[in-house]
Amino acid sequence: MTRSAPSPPGARLAAVLRELKDRTGLSLAQLADATTFSKSSWQRYLNGGSLPPRSAVVELCRLAGEPADHPLALLDIARTDRTSHDPEPATTEPPVPPVPPGSLAGEGTGSPPETAPPATAPTDTTASGTAPTAPAPTHRASAPHRRTTLLTALASLLALTLALGALVLLHLPPPHRDQARPAPTPAASTTGPLCRHRSCQGKDPLTTRCGAGPETLAEHETATGAWIQIRYNPVCGASWARMWGAALGDRVEFRAGGTDGTVHGARVTNRTEADTYVHTLMSVVDLRTSLQACFVPAAGGPKECFGAVAGVTTAATAL
């Protein structure tokens, strides 16, 4: 059931989904074309009107180039909260079974139903040879008979109405459900990267769609528990770094091409970024270009750096 206002877990999930949608750079119509869900469905999911299915969250994360673990965890929390606050379903009384018409005969009249008088046996003739005259049969009053007939007709009408109602309910069409549409084949101009090689230098990997389906060349867990990955998209010919699980003020730096390369950095500036991700801008790279990512903790302490090579997926190498 759609709620007038989302629960706190549902509102938090909707905020994360909106941020992921913004990172894709897609409009609602383009998002519907690139996924198996309609524009109206995405509008409800993004404003907290209803909780999305897990497949919708996975598809949105894929387009945003982000892992789905964190949004799926928020979805599970929101579903648990909704279940714990849903009222018990109201019970309905069973329908009154129709009364057989025959059982109402004589009810409320105060007298049993009318029966035929018993037949009289022939009697002996009198001395004069003539049979005695049989008494005339007595008839009950007509008013109780009319009342019984009326009650029988009403009972028959009630039974017919109940039968017709059950027949109509059995043939009603099922309620309409918002079903996912079959996945269309998106055009390259709609979902493909918006830059290539040199044109990607210094640009955001999400707004350029280079963050959709990149390779993770290396990752590193810091001493504070934050995680940093070096990402690479061969179609865009560009690489960047991203960080999650960090604290406010933590910073990640990325450099391509050795000490002469440009350094791109990103800092955690608010709680939303701490709960999700931050990423650097992109650097244009060629195959075998050396890459380096560094973690600078806000609380102080040594800088943690590790490296990778463009086009080669390896374990993180501490530098």
Side-chain angles (χ1 to χ4, degrees):
M1 180 178 65
T2 302
R3 298 177 182 272
S4 58
S7 63
R12 185 178 181 188
L13 172 64
V16 171
L17 295 180
R18 288 194 298 271
E19 180 178 356
L20 291 171
K21 182 259 183 187
D22 292 341
R23 293 187 179 188
T24 65
L26 302 176
S27 65
L28 279 177
Q30 292 172 330
L31 185 60
D33 290 337
T35 63
T36 57
F37 297 88
S38 65
K39 177 181 176 181
S40 59
S41 297
W42 278 117
Q43 190 170 17
R44 292 195 303 273
Y45 303 155
L46 296 174
N47 64 21
S50 62
L51 296 179
R54 296 178 67 88
S55 58
V57 176
V58 171
E59 290 189 38
L60 179 58
C61 290
R62 175 180 56 81
L63 291 175
E66 301 292 344
D69 298 346
H70 180 67
L72 288 178
L74 291 179
L75 175 61
D76 293 338
I77 294 173
R79 285 179 173 175
T80 302
D81 180 79
R82 181 183 65 178
T83 303
S84 62
H85 288 84
D86 278 344
E88 291 294 331
T91 57
T92 57
E93 295 183 358
V96 179
V99 181
S103 63
L104 293 180
E107 287 187 6
T109 61
S111 61
E114 184 177 358
T115 56
T120 57
T123 58
D124 295 335
T125 57
T126 58
S128 61
T130 61
T133 304
T138 59
H139 297 281
R140 297 180 183 274
S142 61
H145 176 70
R146 288 196 300 270
R147 185 184 305 172
T148 301
T149 303
L150 178 60
L151 289 176
T152 302
L154 289 176
S156 301
L157 180 61
L158 176 61
L160 179 62
T161 302
L162 292 176
L164 289 177
L167 184 62
V168 170
L169 290 177
L170 288 175
H171 288 79
L172 281 177
H176 174 72
R177 297 181 183 272
D178 186 12
Q179 297 180 348
R181 300 180 300 171
T185 303
S189 59
T190 302
T191 60
L194 302 180
C195 68
R196 295 288 195 282
H197 300 280
R198 293 187 180 277
S199 62
C200 294
Q201 178 65 35
K203 293 186 178 179
D204 190 298
L206 297 184
T207 57
T208 57
R209 300 178 191 165
C210 291
E215 300 175 8
T216 299
L217 301 181
E219 63 182 9
H220 170 70
E221 183 179 12
T222 69
T224 63
W227 281 89
I228 300 177
Q229 290 180 331
I230 296 179
R231 310 277 274 177
Y232 169 67
N233 190 317
V235 178
C236 296
S239 186
W240 66 96
R242 71 173 181 176
M243 174 176 66
W244 73 94
L248 290 174
D250 287 350
R251 177 178 172 83
V252 58
E253 296 177 349
F254 176 74
R255 185 199 309 265
T259 57
D260 295 333
T262 302
V263 176
H264 295 300
R267 186 185 303 274
V268 178
T269 60
N270 55 59
R271 177 52 55 188
T272 299
E273 292 178 345
D275 289 339
T276 54
Y277 305 90
V278 294
H279 59 274
T280 69
L281 299 179
M282 295 187 293
S283 293
V284 176
V285 298
D286 297 319
L287 288 177
R288 315 300 298 183
T289 299
S290 62
L291 311 171
Q292 182 188 66
C294 296
F295 172 70
V296 183
K303 178 187 293 188
E304 301 179 37
C305 297
F306 65 102
V309 176
V312 180
T313 303
T314 60
T317 302
L319 301 177

